[in-house]
Amino acid sequence: LAKQIAAHEFQETIVVENVALGAAPGEAVFHDVSEAPGYSGLRARTDLPGQLGQSVREVKVKVETLDDLVARHAEPGRPVRFIKLDLE
């Protein structure tokens, strides 16, 4: 996504944030199921079919609150007007 934004020169209006949102800031472990991304998430899955459990990779991710994220990007006279979230 970030490469496409740069290729079309939208960096001034679109910002990609590679963070997880949570109730409190910190770090979390993201469980990446590379062979079936739909099973990926912040919670470890115990119901993975077949051999998918062998393809899980744990990745530490930054966690931020939505309020902190918006405050960091808000500018005087130019409020944040749209947020696209990829939710799992």
Side-chain angles (χ1 to χ4, degrees):
L1 179 60
K3 288 179 184 177
Q4 287 297 315
I5 290 168
H8 296 287
E9 299 180 0
F10 288 122
Q11 309 92 304
E12 295 296 317
T13 56
I14 299 173
V15 177
V16 176
E17 289 281 351
N18 193 14
V19 299
L21 295 178
E27 275 191 351
V29 175
F30 183 82
H31 303 273
D32 178 29
V33 184
S34 59
E35 294 181 26
Y39 287 105
S40 298
L42 293 176
R43 292 189 198 140
R45 299 285 297 258
T46 58
D47 61 342
L48 295 173
Q51 301 296 317
L52 285 180
Q54 297 174 2
S55 69
V56 177
R57 180 175 61 111
E58 293 185 352
V59 180
K60 285 186 181 179
V61 295
K62 179 181 175 182
V63 177
E64 231 179 304
T65 67
L66 181 58
D67 289 343
D68 288 346
L69 180 72
V70 170
R72 192 161 42 83
H73 288 284
E75 297 175 17
R78 188 173 177 207
V80 174
R81 299 187 325 178
F82 181 80
I83 297 175
K84 163 69 169 85
L85 301 174
D86 181 8
L87 302 174
E88 302 288 335

